Amino acid sequence: MEKTRNNRAWFMVLPVVALVAFSAVLPLMTVVNYSVQDTFGNNVFFWAGTEWFTQVLESERMHDALWRQFLFSAVILAIEVPLGVAVALCMPKKGFWASVCLVLMALPLLIPWNVVGTIWQVFGRVDIGLLGWTLANLGVDYNYTQNPLDAWITVVVMDVWHWTSLVVLLAYAGLQSIPQAYYQAARIDQASRWKVFRYIELPKMKGVLLIAVLLRFMDSFMIYTEPFVVTGGGPGTATTFLSIDLVKMALGQFDLGPAAAFSLMYFLVILLLSWVFYTVMTNSDKAGKGA
Amino acid sequence: MAKITLDNLGHCYGGRPANRDDYQLKPMSHVWEDGAAYALLGPSGCGKSTLLNIISGLLIPSEGRVLFGEQDVTRAPTAKRNIAQVFQFPVVYDTMTVYDNLAFPLRNRRAAARYVDIRVKAVAEMIGLADRLDERAQGLTADAKQKISLGRGMVREDVSAILFDEPLTVIDPHMKWELRTQLKALHREFGHTMIYVTHDQTEALTFADKVVVMSDGEVVQVGAPAELFERPAHTFVGYFIGSPGMNVLDAEVEGSMAHVMGCALPLARRYGRLSGRVQIGVRPEFASVAETGPGLPVSVTRVEDVGRHRVVRATIGGVEVNAIAQEGQSVPENAEWLRFAPEAVNVYADGWLVEGEAA
């Protein structure tokens, strides 16, 4: 069929362009605007060039928050992905209990983030929280408001509790799509349980796991509400992740210029890393197909 | 390698059948001879895959026994039975190379690396993938993948039987022919017992030495392709095999005469008293139409030219009947009579073939 070329078609996308402009591009531009200007109040702005960017890039505080952020994302990915896959493998394939498991798995995902934070904030309290109180009575010196390691453990466990289900559901969907014949063939080939996982289940789950890793990476890299509610970024700055730091800078100290520069770089880092993840994982797929 | 015996084998998914109709696989006994090529033929849902899965050990039958040689393997797991199975959809291990795929069953059984290498190369040669051993299996076409599945079945020399579960369903028509020919050649060369499940009569008749026809959870006939054609043991076999299928008409049979809708037809054999629903069955290949009697008065509805021969479609008393006119044979313009070759008329009581005495 011959393709029709008609420039009037551009008018068709105009509403979408306008919508995206107002909802995304213009707000982003105001951030760009702040990031290159300075003010002493009264809505009078001065050109600041790349000053804020240099300042943020050189600031120790930003480096620490970035490092913490990477550590946090790495830790939760390292726990949630294998754990999620393991749970999905243990879930029944069909029947009544499969539905029960699915509902149970979906529950944490339905709870609003600040509620999750509050639940764990109370849960971990030494005086009234079930977890904190129990641990204290067992003689464990646990206090997330004073001990940085305890605060980290609390925040990580909370995230694992909240989000492993997502990996489970995705992995489970991937497992369900494997035809029964594969398992039967593996039995005939006398493959061990490990080999079934390694050569059948894992390759077939690759696609959904890629999505799981991407989603969990992006989400954890932008995490704000839950640690903010539980620890407020403390003790000290122990659990001050990038977005918590950003909010402190922008709203707490009202340093709009540096905060704007910060958020732009933050945005670019997430974009870059997601792109790298995606390219690496889809390329390995293509290499397999092309070979 | 061993002969496979099914001893009073039956299966009912619920476990407790109240009567014969509750079975997915009705109780039966059958022996699969060592080294023969069998086809298990029947429409979808007739229980042929159930039977295959019982033989391969993927399913444990609710009653009866399965013997490999003299050994009872009814409850033995698949891995213990030493069989190979090729499935409807190609099963390959995507992340492995063709070589590793073929080596997989041997390596899992801890075969020596040298032996594995020899076997893999030999099998790759047979299935025509010798020059693609280093490729990853993922990128291959469906028929190449199915060849790998087939190769994984052939790679072990000691398999008791190779089972095929409609293995050519997803293969392009022109590749089907090639793969089937290859299978046949492999069977001749290595003499494995092969059981080939299909619902395609051409596939079954060209592949097998013996065809096992199933219907409704029951084996209705076991025979060489020619037997199925000439003397169908059940009316089902009659119309399931052949194109078009056998003509089946209600009749009264007395001695060596059959009466169909008031017309008398001569039979080549003599029959005693028959009970139940009596029918006669005649292949369209042995029927012809003529302008004058004797025969059955029919009205011809149309004549289809299918290349090598023509199919005459007609009805008699609302029942459709067919006759085949071979090339060169003429079909009269106003044919009103249908004739059967007496020696080709089979008599059925309640669906099952009745053997007459020589007249």
Side-chain angles (χ1 to χ4, degrees):
Chain A
M1 211 178 86
E2 203 174 316
K3 274 188 186 162
T4 322
R5 293 198 173 273
N6 187 338
N7 281 327
R8 272 181 300 180
W10 290 108
F11 286 109
M12 303 286 189
V13 293
L14 209 57
V16 175
V17 171
L19 205 68
V20 171
F22 277 100
S23 69
V25 181
L26 293 181
L28 187 67
M29 285 304 129
T30 60
V31 176
V32 173
N33 196 23
Y34 281 130
S35 74
V36 291
Q37 298 190 70
D38 194 3
T39 179
F40 296 107
N42 292 335
N43 254 353
V44 186
F45 286 90
F46 309 92
W47 177 251
T50 56
E51 194 188 326
W52 301 133
F53 288 91
T54 339
Q55 187 189 321
V56 169
L57 278 175
E58 283 170 356
S59 97
E60 194 106 340
R61 179 177 155 186
M62 164 88 170
H63 293 167
D64 288 350
L66 186 67
W67 157 240
R68 255 177 248 126
Q69 188 67 70
F70 271 118
L71 185 65
F72 178 74
S73 288
V75 168
I76 66 109
L77 279 179
I79 297 176
E80 287 175 15
V81 174
L83 184 64
V85 170
V87 171
L89 286 173
C90 294
M91 273 166 61
K93 289 251 151 73
K94 57 188 171 198
F96 174 73
W97 291 108
S99 318
V100 171
C101 286
L102 284 176
V103 171
L104 282 179
M105 283 297 148
L107 276 182
L109 300 176
L110 302 175
I111 303 175
W113 298 3
N114 55 347
V115 176
V116 171
T118 314
I119 290 173
W120 281 82
Q121 205 260 351
V122 175
F123 191 47
R125 275 175 65 164
V126 183
D127 49 353
I128 55 166
L130 190 60
L131 174 72
W133 185 83
T134 312
L135 284 175
N137 275 279
L138 287 172
V140 182
D141 184 20
Y142 164 86
N143 189 331
Y144 67 80
T145 55
Q146 278 162 24
N147 186 335
L149 184 64
D150 291 348
W152 261 82
I153 292 173
T154 311
V155 173
V156 167
V157 170
M158 172 176 65
D159 197 83
V160 168
W161 177 83
H162 193 183
W163 289 112
T164 303
S165 313
L166 181 75
V167 183
V168 172
L169 293 181
L170 284 167
Y172 188 71
L175 283 174
Q176 290 287 28
S177 69
I178 302 175
Q180 207 52 36
Y182 277 83
Y183 293 105
Q184 297 175 338
R187 273 203 269 165
I188 285 164
D189 292 340
Q190 244 174 50
S192 59
R193 182 68 190 89
W194 162 250
K195 281 185 177 170
V196 169
F197 175 71
R198 170 68 185 79
Y199 295 113
I200 296 174
E201 292 171 330
L202 202 56
K204 296 277 172 198
M205 276 195 288
K206 201 172 141 197
V208 286
L209 284 184
L210 163 68
I211 293 171
V213 168
L214 260 180
L215 284 178
R216 281 317 298 133
F217 169 74
M218 288 194 299
D219 259 4
S220 66
F221 210 75
M222 297 187 287
I223 192 167
Y224 174 77
T225 320
E226 301 127 292
F228 181 77
V229 172
V230 176
T231 64
T237 53
T239 54
T240 302
F241 301 119
L242 282 177
S243 58
I244 295 181
D245 206 20
L246 178 61
V247 172
K248 273 186 190 165
M249 193 187 282
L251 301 180
Q253 299 155 228
F254 219 67
D255 284 337
L256 288 185
F262 189 157
S263 35
L264 282 180
M265 286 187 282
Y266 192 4
F267 171 61
L268 288 179
V269 167
I270 293 177
L271 202 65
L272 181 73
L273 285 173
S274 300
W275 178 77
V276 168
F277 262 113
Y278 185 78
T279 322
V280 167
M281 295 182 95
T282 42
N283 268 0
S284 72
D285 209 34
K286 262 187 222 141
K289 283 213 170 96
Chain B
M1 274 182 248
K3 74 172 179 186
I4 300 170
T5 311
L6 309 180
D7 178 22
N8 285 314
L9 186 81
H11 187 68
C12 168
Y13 281 103
R16 299 202 166 277
N19 58 49
R20 220 174 137 76
D21 288 339
D22 284 355
Y23 284 99
Q24 275 70 44
L25 194 64
K26 292 177 182 144
M28 58 171 234
S29 292
H30 181 63
V31 177
W32 310 84
E33 295 296 340
D34 186 10
Y38 289 94
L40 203 48
L41 177 67
S44 303
C46 70
K48 54 193 192 307
S49 289
T50 307
L51 180 56
L52 198 73
N53 287 339
I54 288 174
I55 297 174
S56 65
L58 298 171
L59 193 67
I60 293 175
S62 59
E63 51 192 82
R65 297 187 306 157
V66 180
L67 305 168
F68 279 21
E70 296 307 316
Q71 195 191 353
D72 186 343
V73 294
T74 315
R75 274 154 213 291
T78 303
K80 289 258 154 40
R81 298 191 183 200
N82 235 345
I83 44 109
Q85 187 164 354
V86 179
F87 296 90
Q88 189 166 4
F89 297 97
V91 175
V92 295
Y93 304 102
D94 285 339
T95 53
M96 294 189 200
T97 60
V98 173
Y99 186 99
D100 290 336
N101 258 287
L102 294 175
F104 196 60
L106 293 175
R107 285 179 179 158
N108 287 336
R109 288 170 173 81
R110 304 186 192 287
R114 264 182 56 85
Y115 174 72
V116 171
D117 193 59
I118 293 167
R119 282 304 295 161
V120 167
K121 287 192 170 139
V123 168
E125 200 66 51
M126 286 181 221
I127 57 175
L129 288 175
D131 52 342
R132 305 177 73 177
L133 281 173
D134 296 330
E135 288 180 26
R136 256 177 76 170
Q138 194 174 27
L140 300 177
T141 54
D143 50 84
K145 284 184 180 178
Q146 195 61 308
K147 282 184 185 172
I148 295 177
S149 307
L150 181 62
R152 277 211 320 277
M154 311 283 306
V155 78
R156 285 184 288 137
E157 285 175 293
D158 58 345
V159 287
S160 309
I162 306 180
L163 314 180
F164 301 89
D165 192 355
E166 311 204 12
L168 302 182
T169 310
V170 292
I171 308 298
D172 282 344
H174 70 283
M175 289 303 300
K176 267 186 190 176
W177 184 259
E178 190 198 313
L179 277 175
R180 201 163 57 217
T181 316
Q182 220 160 18
L183 270 183
K184 191 98 194 159
L186 291 174
H187 176 252
R188 266 197 295 269
E189 196 170 342
F190 297 95
H192 289 295
T193 309
M194 289 186 172
I195 302 178
Y196 188 109
V197 165
T198 179
H199 58 250
D200 179 337
Q201 51 166 315
T202 321
E203 241 171 75
L205 299 175
T206 52
F207 171 79
D209 307 327
K210 278 212 167 146
V211 180
V212 178
V213 185
M214 288 188 71
S215 163
D216 215 7
E218 193 166 21
V219 173
V220 287
Q221 188 170 9
V222 182
E227 290 172 50
L228 299 183
F229 183 77
E230 283 159 18
R231 293 189 72 72
H234 191 276
T235 49
F236 172 79
V237 180
Y239 44 71
F240 191 69
I241 291 173
S243 173
M246 186 168 72
N247 299 310
V248 178
L249 297 165
D250 283 314
E252 280 161 38
V253 173
E254 251 189 80
S256 58
M257 289 301 273
H259 299 274
V260 178
M261 295 173 194
C263 303
L265 295 171
L267 300 172
R269 282 159 176 268
R270 176 178 294 281
Y271 297 85
R273 265 189 90 75
L274 299 175
S275 61
R277 184 180 183 191
V278 179
Q279 288 165 308
I280 57 162
V282 190
R283 293 245 170 237
E285 285 79 357
F286 303 111
S288 58
V289 284
E291 286 173 319
T292 55
L296 293 173
V298 292
S299 51
V300 174
T301 46
R302 62 183 191 276
V303 178
E304 289 166 12
D305 198 329
V306 290
R308 275 178 309 130
H309 57 248
R310 276 162 298 164
V311 179
V312 182
R313 306 264 185 200
T315 57
I316 166 170
V319 183
E320 196 177 308
V321 287
N322 304 302
I324 286 180
Q326 296 301 339
E327 211 169 34
Q329 212 174 333
S330 65
V331 177
E333 275 295 310
N334 33 22
E336 285 176 343
W337 295 86
L338 182 71
R339 289 182 197 169
F340 297 138
E343 65 281 1
V345 179
N346 296 314
V347 174
Y348 297 89
D350 279 338
W352 295 95
L353 181 70
V354 183
E355 293 288 344
E357 301 151 26

